Amino acid sequence: MSIVFACATSHTPGIRAWPDAPPADIKERFFGGLKRLGDQLNAARPDAILIISSEHFANYFLDGMPAFTIGQGETHFGPVEPWLKVPQGHTPGEPELASRLLSAAFGAGFELNYSHELKLDHGTMVPLSFLDPERALPVVPLIVNAMTFPMPQPARCYSLGQILGAALEADASRVAVVATGGLSHAPGERMHGDIDTEFDADFLRRLTAGDGDALISYTDDEMTSRGLGTHEIRTWITLAGICSGRSADVLYYEPVPAWATGCSLLSYSV
Amino acid sequence: MSIYQVQKLVQAVNRNPEARQRFFDERESFATEFDLTAEERTAVIELNLFTLYEMGVHPLLLRPFTIINGFSEPDYLKAIRGGD
């Protein structure tokens, strides 16, 4: 078995940039949960991390917006945000694993974008700064456009996940898979601060029930109405495809008004 | 002439330190480097956040742009909600 660990985390920048904003009990539960995930990831002794995150105009703009991009670089610079309170630097890449995943995707009819100079932003660096603060493990980033329309549909994200999951299972490397983003949030919008706890709870139910049909049925309007940031659940849906057949446990969910995000941590039994 | 050019200007300020400095030093001249309508140029030069939001500038472009230009979160939200 080559997927040795799998989890999903929120990546809202406040986690690093203003960590003391939430009340003490929320901080204890959220950061405690992140620490547990980091301990579990490292105990699984992965060779590399596949991290699935969303674009925030760090790499791409409307002069060319790819649906999915794999980072093939030997290293990746990040975070691009100097205010994030994560030191800027280079995270090691894993070009050969990235190439094998690209081959699997293309072979199955998913012509992903690829880059040897992908930059990392808060979406990857916030979780990685907890899960692997020393930047010891090589990372293959998979960046999903969950930001500008049209975006890849949930069904495509799930299918891509299933293809990557099969490729990882056949691979000799021990890989930890981390999806990041969500849950409901509306950064920079008029509805900034709104968190739809019912939507989030229902999303987590679909994940723990392994209900692929329900996960791929989300419409753009359903997500937009909860805040444009909610489209980031595509990365969790991709992970659900990778981990289809495995059971998921919710380690943490709370609305965190100080970070204006419904925050969650989830892990899969592998 | 389309929201694309406004967003292109905002992205340049957000991501390119040299463009950002030119925006700070001479906003009107910088705005002429983009194909903006008169209304768009005015909104950018005056930092009219309500108008920029209404025009459709993506929130993930607009909010960093306003951080760079010194707007606090409460002031930003008040402006885009039409409170000033």
Side-chain angles (χ1 to χ4, degrees):
Chain A
M1 174 172 301
S2 298
I3 298 173
V4 298
F5 176 80
C7 77
T9 79
S10 293
H11 67 218
T12 189
I15 293 167
R16 273 299 185 196
W18 37 99
D20 293 316
D25 58 334
I26 288 183
K27 288 195 308 181
E28 194 181 318
R29 288 190 289 269
F30 180 77
F31 289 115
L34 255 184
K35 181 172 189 315
R36 278 206 303 289
L37 285 178
D39 291 344
Q40 287 168 18
L41 182 151
N42 288 289
R45 295 177 299 108
D47 297 318
I49 300 174
L50 170 65
I51 184 159
I52 309 164
S53 183
S54 61
E55 178 62 6
H56 309 97
F57 293 112
N59 289 287
Y60 300 109
F61 181 63
L62 294 161
D63 55 349
M65 183 60 70
F68 302 101
T69 304
I70 288 222
Q72 280 187 291
E74 296 273 356
T75 66
H76 320 284
F77 177 77
V80 298
E81 302 97 332
W83 47 263
L84 192 62
K85 298 191 181 150
V86 173
Q88 291 183 305
H90 288 88
T91 298
E94 224 288 39
E96 290 179 8
L97 174 62
S99 294
R100 294 196 296 276
L101 293 177
L102 277 169
S103 293
F106 274 69
F110 266 91
E111 289 91 9
L112 310 181
N113 188 44
Y114 45 91
S115 169
H116 288 259
E117 291 193 60
L118 203 65
K119 297 184 194 65
L120 302 180
D121 69 12
H122 66 273
T124 43
M125 295 309 298
V126 164
L128 284 175
S129 69
F130 288 92
L131 300 174
D132 183 22
E134 302 300 314
R135 301 181 192 190
L137 290 167
V139 166
V140 175
L142 167 61
I143 306 299
V144 182
N145 170 30
M147 186 181 65
T148 62
F149 298 102
M151 303 173 193
Q153 286 305 294
R156 288 284 286 173
C157 298
Y158 192 83
S159 292
L160 175 60
Q162 290 177 306
I163 288 156
L164 295 178
L168 287 168
E169 283 306 321
D171 202 278
S173 291
R174 299 169 64 85
V175 180
V177 190
V178 178
T180 87
L183 297 177
S184 64
H185 62 302
E189 296 183 74
R190 284 178 177 145
M191 60 181 288
H192 179 100
D194 288 1
I195 297 165
D196 191 329
T197 53
E198 277 186 34
F199 175 90
D200 291 347
D202 182 60
F203 175 64
L204 292 170
R205 259 195 302 275
R206 298 185 198 197
L207 286 170
T208 54
D211 191 346
D213 288 341
L215 287 169
I216 68 175
S217 74
Y218 284 108
T219 64
D220 282 347
D221 284 346
E222 276 181 279
M223 290 180 271
T224 297
S225 63
R226 275 81 184 189
L228 289 174
T230 312
H231 287 278
E232 292 174 352
I233 64 173
R234 280 169 170 74
T235 66
W236 291 52
I237 293 171
T238 307
L239 181 67
I242 289 174
C243 293
S244 53
R246 295 177 172 86
S247 63
D249 295 300
V250 179
L251 270 75
Y252 177 89
Y253 176 80
E254 275 182 298
V256 183
W259 293 336
T261 303
C263 289
S264 188
L265 305 169
L266 175 129
S267 69
Y268 280 89
S269 302
V270 295
Chain B
M1 84 159 37
S2 74
I3 192 63
Y4 175 74
Q5 290 288 326
V6 177
Q7 297 195 112
K8 193 174 175 184
L9 182 155
V10 170
Q11 172 79 341
V13 172
N14 288 352
R15 301 281 293 131
N16 181 333
E18 187 262 338
R20 188 179 313 148
Q21 196 56 52
R22 283 192 286 114
F23 181 78
F24 288 151
D25 292 343
E26 188 42 73
R27 205 179 286 179
E28 292 186 24
S29 160
F30 182 75
T32 65
E33 296 177 24
F34 300 86
D35 191 8
L36 306 176
T37 64
E39 190 196 359
E40 289 165 348
R41 195 160 46 247
T42 301
V44 164
I45 288 166
E46 294 181 358
L47 289 177
N48 188 326
L49 304 190
F50 182 82
T51 300
L52 291 170
Y53 191 93
E54 283 281 296
M55 283 174 172
V57 177
H58 196 290
L60 289 184
L61 289 172
L62 189 57
R63 182 54 188 138
F65 181 66
T66 59
I67 291 172
I68 283 165
N69 282 282
F71 286 80
S72 70
E73 187 172 278
D75 287 346
Y76 169 77
L77 292 174
K78 186 169 175 232
I80 65 173
R81 290 167 178 164
D84 66 0

